[in-house]
Amino acid sequence: MSVLFVEIGCEEIPARLQEKAIADLRDGLCRRLAALGFTAEPGRMAVSPRHMAVEVTGLERALPDAQTDRRGPRTDAPDKAIDGFCQSTGLSRDQLVTRETEKGAFYFAVIKQQGAVLAECLQTVIAETVADFPWPKSQRWAGTSLTWVRPLHAVNVLVDGKPVTGWIDLGGAMRIAFGMTATGHPFYPADPVSLSDFDSYIAAMNDVYVLVDQEYRKATIADQLAKVAATKQLQLVADDNLLDEVTGLVEWPNVIIGQIEPDFMFLPPEVLVTSMRVHQKFFALTPKGAAENLAPYFLTVANRRSDPVNDKLIATGNERVLRARLADAKFFYEQDKQTPLDSLAKKLEAVTFYEGLGSVAEKTERMVALAGAIASRLEAADPNTARRAAALAKVDLVSEMVVEFPELQGIMGGYYAAAAGEAANVVDALTQHYRPQGPSDAIPASLYGRIVAIADKVDTLAGFFGMGARPTGSRDPFALRRAALGILRIIDEGNLDLSLDALLADATALHKSAGHKVDGHNDDASGDYSDLPEFILDRLRVRLRESGIPHDVVAAVLAMCPAGAVGDVRLWGRLAKALDSFLSSDDGKLLAGGWRRVSSLLAAEEKKTRNLSAHVDEDLFVDQTETDLHEAVQRLPNTRGKDELAILSAMQGLAALSAPIDRFFDAVVVNADEDNVRKNRLALLASVRAKMQVIADFSQLEG
């Protein structure tokens, strides 16, 4: 089997695009080769800012010839039909073959197809892969018509170490011929590297100062960062996203340490880290054993060989640039602290939240009302504190610092509130209320942070749903799914005894009273937001499924939710976990089988009559198993309960029901000859079904 090796050289590919791009290159080649009939197996990949290399293995040098027999009309068919068949096959009548079949003599076209040769196919395969490459954004350059993320310089194609003839048509009478050499680091001129296979390519590129293997380059940077930090008894502030980005920016990494002037160390750590990371791609450091304090140093990753003189110049230059950045940050911070919080809040009137949903100041007013309503329903919360926290939650959006560094919204609000003497509960709420910002992010740690976060997210959901801006398919431009999941997580993980249905009604009423459109209407009587509870339940389904609970168990539990409502999300979670655990036990498996016997028998009877009796007459019992089953049913709770203890009790009651059901069916015939006995036994089974349906909708369970 043959190995295809393709290497592309171009100008710097944006770091965020590299990982997907190299996979797209490999998959595009494999897909096109497989469509031609080749056995294309994905091989290794390597990508750096200026190079992309992939291999495809398991390829046949040439495919075997193929023969296709196509049956045509009968030999005695009209000439017009025979001529039409000849025309469709490209053969003359003399070239057709006559064969006898069970239905008579027919003409057959025997079409022989020569097997594709790999080397001859690669021109088209590679040209199409390059021309149709799925860059999110691409460009043309000079007089070319082909688009690429950055100007394309070289396309190298080899099969089993030997070059393949071909070219890429750039348009404008310009071509790039397939080659077999790659260029090294642009700062260090050297002879082009001759290519043969993937292994020699990686080694040869290292010799010309290009670490083309992305994972090796990343590990090298991480190792250098740790070693250079250790020279000053420091440790790195972990930043995986920055490490990934820097890995996509350099080809020959060289970590250099620089100093931060002491005058800037009073700034909040988040300001220092963000100033370094966002604009300069610098890594922050802390003293070993004192991770809560930043050290007055930073690390930068240069794209060049290590040299003491150059390294010092680079450090000095970066220190000078950082000094200017931090001087701006210092000015912003001091100016913002001198501005009263209520004055900042006034500026929110000029900031639009979203067209049709008013200003951020109006959103804040709704959040204040919602936060107060939430706090009034929670025993441990003070409504006044919750309202104050909500009133200040968005003020830092108009601060100088957050205008410069949007990543610091919420965080700076906490610092400014603390400097203004606000209560610690309020400060914590401002810092935390944007959480959780994703599945890996924690919920707010403080009670008031949770209250304001829920108020913020519920207001957003009600507003956008009222406008009809619901997520569709994979599109969710306003992150409404994330907002709904955040609310569910905060209520569940924060163990908040909170009615989400009441809160949704409050939020919708606030939008209606403000005159915002609700499902295309702006009169407060006709607005309809009935999709919102189901949307949140869908997010709950996703959350429960992702926790490992089977979909039919989730469906059985959520079917108990009242129509048009969300219900108690904590209860649904507890019940789903308990029911899943129970159904996995031996008793649960037996009961599930008993349920199917009960429900199927009742369903058959209900097709005959809609009015099965709900009254069970103990005097009509003939067998002890009827009495035992009736008593077991009576012991089941009439409600499922809300806390873990009550739910556990309900599951134990279900466990005690499986044996009586089995004994009942083994001992008696439900459809007895005596009509009153038969109806009474059906009523007994109906009581079994009714009591089980108190716990969950068992009809949703599969198999």
Side-chain angles (χ1 to χ4, degrees), residues 632-648:
V633 170
Q634 296 305 307
R635 287 192 293 270
L636 287 176
N638 293 317
T639 61
R640 71 181 72 85
K642 289 188 175 183
D643 57 28
E644 284 85 348
L645 189 60
I647 292 173
L648 177 61

Side-chain angles (χ1 to χ4, degrees), residues 136-359:
K137 290 184 178 180
S138 56
Q139 60 180 270
R140 292 189 299 272
W141 61 96
T144 64
S145 58
L146 182 139
T147 62
W148 196 251
V149 66
R150 294 291 186 271
L152 196 61
H153 292 316
V155 179
N156 298 300
V157 184
L158 300 96
V159 173
D160 297 334
K162 296 180 180 179
V164 173
T165 302
W167 65 88
I168 299 295
D169 187 357
L170 301 179
M174 296 178 66
R175 284 183 175 184
I176 293 179
F178 293 170
M180 58 178 298
T181 60
T183 57
H185 199 289
F187 296 170
Y188 309 111
D191 292 336
V193 173
S194 294
L195 306 180
S196 58
D197 57 29
F198 197 91
D199 291 322
S200 63
Y201 168 70
I202 297 295
M205 293 300 283
N206 286 358
D207 292 339
V208 290
Y209 305 106
V210 177
L211 297 182
V212 75
D213 186 312
Q214 184 182 26
E215 290 304 316
Y216 179 71
R217 192 166 67 253
K218 181 177 178 179
T220 300
I221 295 171
D223 183 60
Q224 288 188 25
L225 289 168
K227 287 180 178 177
V228 175
T231 63
K232 298 285 187 182
Q233 299 300 305
L234 302 174
Q235 60 189 13
L236 195 69
V237 174
D239 195 332
D240 291 340
N241 290 334
L242 180 57
L243 178 58
D244 288 339
E245 184 175 7
V246 170
T247 300
L249 295 175
V250 300
E251 292 186 325
W252 192 259
N254 174 30
V255 173
I256 299 169
I257 192 165
Q259 283 190 280
I260 304 172
E261 292 186 5
D263 289 349
F264 298 121
M265 294 308 295
F266 78 96
L267 290 170
E270 295 89 348
V271 173
L272 291 169
V273 171
T274 303
S275 297
M276 291 188 284
R277 180 183 64 227
V278 173
H279 293 296
Q280 305 307 129
K281 315 306 177 191
F282 294 166
F283 291 86
L285 296 162
T286 62
K288 282 190 176 179
E292 67 278 3
N293 300 318
L294 286 183
Y297 294 92
F298 65 88
L299 295 176
T300 184
V301 184
N303 185 28
R304 59 180 63 241
R305 297 177 300 198
S306 179
D307 176 86
V309 175
N310 282 337
D311 290 357
K312 187 174 181 179
L313 289 173
I314 291 170
T316 301
N318 282 319
E319 289 169 354
R320 184 167 55 249
V321 173
L322 182 60
R323 184 186 309 122
R325 291 287 184 192
L326 293 181
D328 289 343
K330 178 182 177 182
F331 175 78
F332 296 148
Y333 185 56
E334 291 175 341
Q335 286 292 108
D336 288 340
K337 286 199 299 181
Q338 294 174 14
T339 307
L341 294 178
D342 291 330
S343 176
L344 284 175
K346 186 72 175 174
K347 294 182 180 179
L348 294 174
E349 295 175 359
V351 181
T352 301
F353 170 55
Y354 191 78
E355 186 177 356
L357 295 178
S359 67

Side-chain angles (χ1 to χ4, degrees), residues 454 458 487-488 491 498-505 536 566-567 569:
I454 292 174
V458 166
I487 293 168
L488 293 172
I491 291 175
L498 192 62
S499 169
L500 193 47
D501 291 309
L503 191 56
L504 292 175
I536 293 176
V566 178
V569 297

